[in-house]
Amino acid sequence: MHRTTKSCCSRWLRRAAALACAALAALAAGCAAEAEPQVLRVGVALYTQDDTFIASIAQELERLAREQEQTGGVRIDLSVVDGRSNQTTQLDQIDNLIGRGCDALCVNIVDRTAAAVLIDKAQTAQVPLIFFNRQPVAEDIFRWERTYYVGARAEEGGMLQGRLVLEAWQADPALDRNGDGVLQYVMLEGEPGHQDALLRTEYAVKTLTDAGVEVEKLASDTANWKRGQAMARTLQWLEELGDGVEVVFANNDDMALGAIDAYQQTQRPLPLVVGVDATAPALEAVAQGQLYGTVLNDSSGIARSMLDLVLALGAGEDPAETLPLEEGHYIWLPHRPVTAQNLEEFVS
Ligand code: BGC
Ligand code: CA
């Protein structure tokens, strides 16, 4: 009796073990059949969130990532951090992102001369690194084969802005307010040292002088991409220069809008004002006839290209095979001029 119970027990145990094994095997097979979607963890480091253009790239990246999940079967886990314009803060944030484990990094670097240390960190951790909008020097970009830059060519933005002014100047003699045949201008510059501040300033003016227009710079100063600072600077110039300004060049739209704010506040007649970016408030100002024109800096294109790079790298592909990668490292988004004439193409 006792013995029977014992052998019965061991038979039961063997059977239970066999059933458990079968269940585990079935579970494993089931897992393979209905695989969880692939997850790509992407760290996104912004130089600051407090920047209209950068905020629009981050927003678009979020939107595209959600869209990709619906259609592409890949889950994209974005961790966005705000560097608050401090390179030390941003480096800590990136250490943290790497430490938590990520498949790619998208970096809008605070100080573009500090890229080398970041590239070395990413290479050590073997995390592909995509810089955007704030462009490190080529020597840094070529430091490691999985370093990329996504953005727009700074000199092209300046050239197109200059061309907008050139065409307006040639078409409308009334723009020469004092009738001396010389174009008197002021220049609102972005952050010192930023490629877009340096090259937009240079190429906007060069486009005019190359076309034979005589220009006179009445004033120029940095307003650090900011609307408030640009308004303050312009108010000061209005006191000093009165209505002598014929064209306000601004390296970006926020500063162009700041200049317009100053003219409106003092109720002085607006000169020709031009910006760069084609942000939503700038398009609105073009529609209202306050901002003469702007140049599209393609925030959606930048976000799309970064995501495409992340997806290609995540799938273990060589991005050069499917993406318009130049020199193995760069994706360039073209600028486009915007005025009241073609505004509808840009308002969504
Ligand atoms: C944009 C600015 C922006 C800056 C930030 C430039 O390309 O035109 O609006 O503030 O990038 O890096
Ligand atoms: Ca003049």
Side-chain angles (χ1 to χ4, degrees):
M1 185 66 194
H2 188 72
R3 194 181 288 162
T4 322
T5 312
K6 210 175 169 189
S7 68
C8 190
C9 244
S10 63
R11 253 204 322 274
W12 183 85
L13 274 175
R14 275 202 304 277
R15 230 183 105 86
L19 277 173
C21 278
L24 276 174
L27 202 68
C31 281
E34 286 173 45
E36 284 280 307
Q38 186 196 0
V39 180
L40 287 176
R41 288 157 309 167
V42 184
V44 182
L46 309 180
Y47 91 100
T48 174
Q49 216 140 27
D50 181 24
D51 178 302
T52 311
F53 181 71
I54 297 304
S56 71
I57 295 179
Q59 218 173 24
E60 184 66 1
L61 207 50
E62 295 275 3
R63 195 189 67 77
L64 290 171
R66 299 293 78 82
E67 194 180 273
Q68 187 67 37
E69 283 179 2
Q70 305 292 318
T71 58
V74 180
R75 221 183 82 205
I76 296 167
D77 201 347
L78 293 180
S79 301
V80 181
V81 292
D82 176 1
R84 299 187 296 276
S85 293
N86 183 317
Q87 190 56 73
T88 313
T89 303
Q90 189 179 58
L91 280 174
D92 286 349
Q93 291 171 334
I94 289 168
D95 277 338
N96 197 266
L97 288 167
I98 292 176
R100 277 160 42 200
C102 58
D103 300 298
L105 280 166
C106 297
V107 177
N108 181 221
I109 196 166
V110 174
D111 173 1
R112 66 194 194 94
T113 64
V117 30
L118 196 52
I119 295 165
D120 293 347
K121 278 177 192 292
Q123 182 175 9
T124 306
Q126 288 294 299
V127 180
L129 178 55
I130 304 165
F131 288 100
F132 65 102
N133 166 261
R134 301 165 71 89
Q135 188 184 343
V137 293
E139 192 189 330
D140 285 342
I141 292 291
F142 288 109
R143 207 175 163 90
W144 179 40
E145 80 265 15
R146 284 201 287 165
T147 306
Y148 304 92
Y149 178 72
V150 176
R153 293 181 199 271
E155 59 279 6
E156 183 188 76
M159 224 181 60
L160 289 177
Q161 191 189 52
R163 209 176 286 163
L164 280 179
V165 174
L166 175 66
E167 284 162 11
W169 182 258
Q170 287 170 339
D172 183 5
L175 287 179
D176 184 10
R177 286 180 168 181
N178 64 355
D180 66 351
V182 179
L183 185 156
Q184 276 83 18
Y185 73 93
V186 292
M187 178 73 70
L188 285 162
E189 293 170 17
E191 246 175 304
H194 192 302
Q195 81 279 351
D196 288 333
L198 299 166
L199 295 171
R200 285 177 192 167
T201 298
E202 179 185 345
Y203 280 82
V205 175
K206 186 171 159 13
T207 302
L208 286 156
T209 53
D210 281 355
V213 176
E214 199 181 330
V215 302
E216 182 188 1
K217 179 168 82 181
L218 298 183
S220 73
D221 203 350
T222 177
N224 293 303
W225 306 122
K226 295 209 178 348
R227 185 167 180 161
Q229 288 188 28
M231 175 174 169
R233 209 60 77 241
T234 310
L235 283 172
Q236 192 185 324
W237 290 339
L238 269 164
E239 272 191 24
E240 293 162 14
L241 306 167
D243 291 331
V245 176
E246 295 168 343
V247 174
V248 177
F249 288 95
N251 283 168
N252 78 342
D253 284 344
D254 267 5
M255 296 190 294
L257 294 172
I260 294 169
D261 293 339
Y263 277 88
Q264 286 184 330
Q265 182 172 309
T266 52
Q267 300 187 316
R268 304 287 270 276
L270 257 183
L272 194 85
V273 184
V274 286
V276 177
D277 282 341
T279 59
L283 295 177
E284 180 62 32
V286 173
Q288 295 189 353
Q290 298 158 343
L291 181 64
Y292 172 73
T294 181
V295 179
L296 173 76
N297 189 6
D298 190 358
S299 53
S300 316
I302 291 174
R304 177 75 261 169
S305 299
M306 285 201 285
L307 202 63
D308 288 346
L309 263 174
V310 166
L311 288 167
L313 291 162
E317 294 164 4
D318 174 3
E321 281 174 14
T322 45
L323 300 174
L325 218 56
E326 288 190 31
E327 299 172 89
H329 292 268
Y330 293 91
I331 296 185
W332 296 114
L333 282 303
H335 289 96
R336 287 171 64 200
V338 188
T339 63
Q341 268 76 56
N342 63 348
L343 186 61
E344 324 82 75
E345 295 170 35
F346 300 89
V347 187
S348 48

